[in-house]
Amino acid sequence: MSAKTKIVVLHMKELIYTGIFAALGILFVVLLIMMFLPDKENENTPPPEQDTVETSSRYIPGIYTTELVLGSQSIDVEVIVDKENITSIRMVNLNDAITTMYPLLQPTFDSICKQVYEQQSLEHITYTADSKYTSLVLLEAIQNSLNKAKGSN
């Protein structure tokens, strides 16, 4: 029998290059499949709602002022709020003429502010009979500023 023997000569350099290119080709195909297949995690979860953040907060963060006219003078009641809390209440443009003419203004204001900080609300604020009208005027100015912070003028 006459068998013809075929001898195949493979160079080691060619085998290495072929192996490297085959591995890179397989890696490229796997990466393409991973990139373009949809994520299974995202299919079952609903998209996040944008409105939830704004509807869950009590106030629009910022500084809100209400002008309070006392006689011929005026002062501003400034309320600073973040999303959930009243952080600061103060009287701006308060001069000596106003404090002299209205001596109960500052102590009444301090008492109201202390209660508002503790309760974070204008409900159930207590005041003395001596400062009833001063308290009502200040509470109305603070309420107007909070209404602006809530977005309702």
Side-chain angles (χ1 to χ4, degrees), residues 9-76:
V9 178
L10 298 173
H11 297 282
M12 186 60 115
K13 194 185 226 182
E14 292 173 359
L15 284 176
I16 292 174
Y17 287 149
T18 305
I20 290 173
F21 285 126
L24 286 175
I26 291 171
L27 183 66
F28 181 70
V29 170
V30 169
L31 286 175
L32 283 175
I33 291 172
M34 287 174 53
M35 284 178 55
F36 293 112
L37 282 180
D39 293 335
K40 290 183 180 179
E41 294 175 0
N42 292 341
E43 288 177 0
N44 296 333
T45 57
E49 294 182 16
Q50 300 279 335
D51 298 329
T52 341
V53 174
E54 292 185 22
T55 57
S56 67
S57 62
R58 290 174 63 183
Y59 305 112
I60 301 168
I63 301 171
Y64 300 93
T65 59
T66 299
E67 185 179 18
L68 183 61
V69 179
L70 300 171
S72 62
Q73 304 282 331
S74 68
I75 59 171
D76 291 328

Side-chain angles (χ1 to χ4, degrees), residues 39-142:
D39 293 335
K40 290 183 180 179
E41 294 175 0
N42 292 341
E43 288 177 0
N44 296 333
T45 57
E49 294 182 16
Q50 300 279 335
D51 298 329
T52 341
V53 174
E54 292 185 22
T55 57
S56 67
S57 62
R58 290 174 63 183
Y59 305 112
I60 301 168
I63 301 171
Y64 300 93
T65 59
T66 299
E67 185 179 18
L68 183 61
V69 179
L70 300 171
S72 62
Q73 304 282 331
S74 68
I75 59 171
D76 291 328
V77 175
E78 179 181 88
V79 178
I80 301 174
V81 295
D82 60 14
K83 287 184 179 182
E84 296 296 324
N85 300 314
I86 301 168
T87 57
S88 175
I89 304 171
R90 65 185 186 137
M91 288 189 286
V92 183
N93 302 327
L94 183 65
N95 58 29
D96 291 335
I98 293 176
T99 55
T100 304
M101 293 291 292
Y102 303 97
L104 293 177
L105 186 66
Q106 190 64 47
T108 304
F109 184 77
D110 292 339
S111 171
I112 290 173
C113 288
K114 182 180 176 185
Q115 293 177 56
V116 170
Y117 293 149
E118 289 173 1
Q119 299 176 12
Q120 290 297 312
S121 170
L122 294 182
E123 296 177 13
H124 310 296
I125 300 293
T126 59
Y127 46 84
T128 63
D130 295 340
S131 63
K132 177 181 179 181
Y133 297 110
T134 306
S135 298
L136 291 175
V137 168
L138 290 171
L139 285 171
E140 184 179 349
I142 295 170

